[in-house]
Amino acid sequence: MDCKEMKQKIDTELYTIVFTDRMKKTVLGNSKKRMSHSMLRYAAIIALTFLIGGTTAFAGYYFLNKVNVNATTLPELDEMKIVKMAPLNAEVDQYGHIHKDFSDYAMLQSNLGIDLLESKYATDQSYLQGSMETDRKDYAIIKMENYIIGDTNNYIYLEEEERYQYEHGEAYYSPISLSMDLVLSQKQLDQGWDTDYLGFYEYVENYTSKQGYKVNLIQDTTGKHMSEDYISEKCAVFVADGIRYTLCGRTSIEMIKEIVDSME
C-alpha cells in the first residue's frame, strides 16, 4: 500500500469513527476543558494507529454487509451493490478527494442523481449538519447530524466546536444521525469496506423491517456505568438498494425500529 492509499484509508476510517460519551471522558481524563471535534480526530489518529497495528480492543467493524461487534459476528445484511453517482461540481483536494458540507438533503440527492431513503420523522431540518466525502471513483460517505430531532429542543450553535448544543426530550435523548456508505466501483466491492467503532457496543438483535430490510441493532454499553435513567445510543444498520444505512441516536429500541420502518 503506497502513501496515497494509506492516507485515503486513514481519512476514511477517521471520517466514520463514532465516539461514545464514555470514550470522550476517557480521552479527556480529569480535564475540565471541553475537547473540540478536531482534537478528537487527533486522538482518533493515535487510536487508529493501534488498530492498524493489530490491537482490536472493544472495536466493532463492518465488512461489506457483515457486521462484527467485539468477538460477535452478526447476521448478514442484504448485499451492497455498485451505485452510479453523477459527477460532483466541487473542489478536490491534493489527493483527488471531495469534502463537501451541505444542509439540504433534497438538493444533495438531486446533485448526485440518486434517490436516497428518507424518513417521515425528519420534519424539521433547521439544524441539519450534512457532510460528504468521496474519491469520485470508488466510494462515497454521506453523514447527517441532527437528521431527526424528535422532541429535543433549545438548539444553540457552538461556533468554536461547529456543532449544536440541545436539550433532550422524553422520547429522544439525542437527535438521530444518519449515515450512508456508497460503493462506486467493482474494485471497492471486491476489496470490501470496514468501519471501526471505537467504543463499547453490544449486539441487540437482528430483525426484518416492514420494507423487508435485514436490520442489525447494536447499542453502547455506557449506560451500565451510568445512572439507571441513562438512555444508551442505539444503532440500526441495514442495506437498501445496495447502499448501507446507519441510524444512531439515544432513544428506545422501539423508536429506532419505527424510524427504520419509516425510511422510504
Side-chain angles (χ1 to χ4, degrees):
M1 181 181 293
D2 60 25
C3 293
K4 180 178 179 180
E5 290 175 328
M6 178 62 75
K7 194 270 182 187
Q8 176 183 336
K9 180 174 177 60
I10 291 175
D11 283 349
T12 302
E13 294 290 346
L14 290 178
Y15 194 80
T16 54
I17 283 173
V18 175
F19 290 91
T20 63
D21 291 339
R22 187 179 181 188
M23 182 183 178
K24 292 176 183 177
K25 291 179 180 179
T26 300
V27 174
L28 286 170
N30 296 322
S31 173
K32 295 183 180 181
K33 184 176 180 181
R34 189 185 297 270
M35 181 174 282
S36 68
H37 180 69
S38 60
M39 292 175 69
L40 283 171
R41 286 175 64 85
Y42 284 122
I45 292 175
I46 299 172
L48 186 59
T49 300
F50 287 105
L51 286 177
I52 293 174
T55 301
T56 56
F58 60 81
Y61 59 90
Y62 304 144
F63 183 78
L64 283 182
N65 59 339
K66 292 183 179 179
V67 180
N68 297 279
V69 178
N70 295 315
T72 303
T73 298
L74 308 190
E76 289 190 11
L77 302 176
D78 298 301
E79 292 184 2
M80 295 183 73
K81 300 176 182 178
I82 298 172
V83 178
K84 292 184 178 180
M85 188 178 77
L88 280 174
N89 182 21
E91 183 179 352
V92 300
D93 65 16
Q94 59 181 321
Y95 300 102
H97 294 183
I98 291 175
H99 304 265
K100 183 178 180 64
D101 294 332
F102 66 91
S103 58
D104 189 326
Y105 188 30
M107 182 63 69
L108 175 73
Q109 294 182 70
S110 177
N111 291 340
L112 299 180
I114 302 174
D115 289 328
L116 299 169
L117 299 184
E118 299 186 60
S119 171
K120 66 180 181 181
Y121 294 110
T123 55
D124 184 355
Q125 298 193 0
S126 304
Y127 312 106
L128 180 68
Q129 290 182 290
S131 59
M132 178 177 179
E133 178 181 342
T134 179
D135 66 352
R136 302 181 297 166
K137 59 184 180 65
D138 292 324
Y139 77 93
I141 301 170
I142 302 170
K143 294 175 69 71
M144 295 191 292
E145 300 296 333
N146 309 322
Y147 175 60
I148 298 174
I149 65 172
D151 61 353
T152 58
N153 56 82
N154 293 334
Y155 278 71
I156 300 174
Y157 185 67
L158 304 178
E159 189 169 353
E160 290 186 359
E161 301 183 23
E162 298 180 341
R163 68 175 182 87
Y164 283 98
Q165 176 180 288
Y166 59 86
E167 294 181 7
H168 72 76
E170 294 185 5
Y172 293 78
Y173 266 60
S174 78
I176 304 297
S177 66
L178 172 63
S179 64
M180 291 150 280
D181 301 329
L182 286 67
V183 173
L184 306 182
S185 69
Q186 187 65 48
K187 176 184 175 183
Q188 182 70 58
L189 193 63
D190 290 342
Q191 75 180 25
W193 187 343
D194 61 294
T195 302
D196 294 289
Y197 274 79
L198 300 183
F200 296 85
Y201 284 86
E202 64 182 5
Y203 171 58
V204 178
E205 65 175 292
N206 172 270
Y207 75 99
T208 301
S209 71
K210 181 184 70 174
Q211 308 93 321
Y213 307 139
K214 297 175 184 177
V215 185
N216 281 328
L217 289 180
I218 63 176
Q219 67 178 353
D220 74 52
T221 57
T222 308
K224 295 180 179 179
H225 308 277
M226 296 291 188
S227 60
E228 293 182 358
D229 60 350
Y230 179 81
I231 305 299
S232 66
E233 181 182 64
K234 317 296 191 303
C235 292
V237 188
F238 62 95
V239 175
D241 302 319
I243 299 172
R244 186 170 59 210
Y245 291 81
T246 304
L247 290 158
C248 287
R250 294 176 59 196
T251 187
S252 66
I253 291 291
E254 293 73 23
M255 180 59 71
I256 204 75
K257 285 184 175 181
E258 282 188 31
I259 294 172
V260 171
D261 287 343
S262 73
M263 298 293 289
E264 296 178 348

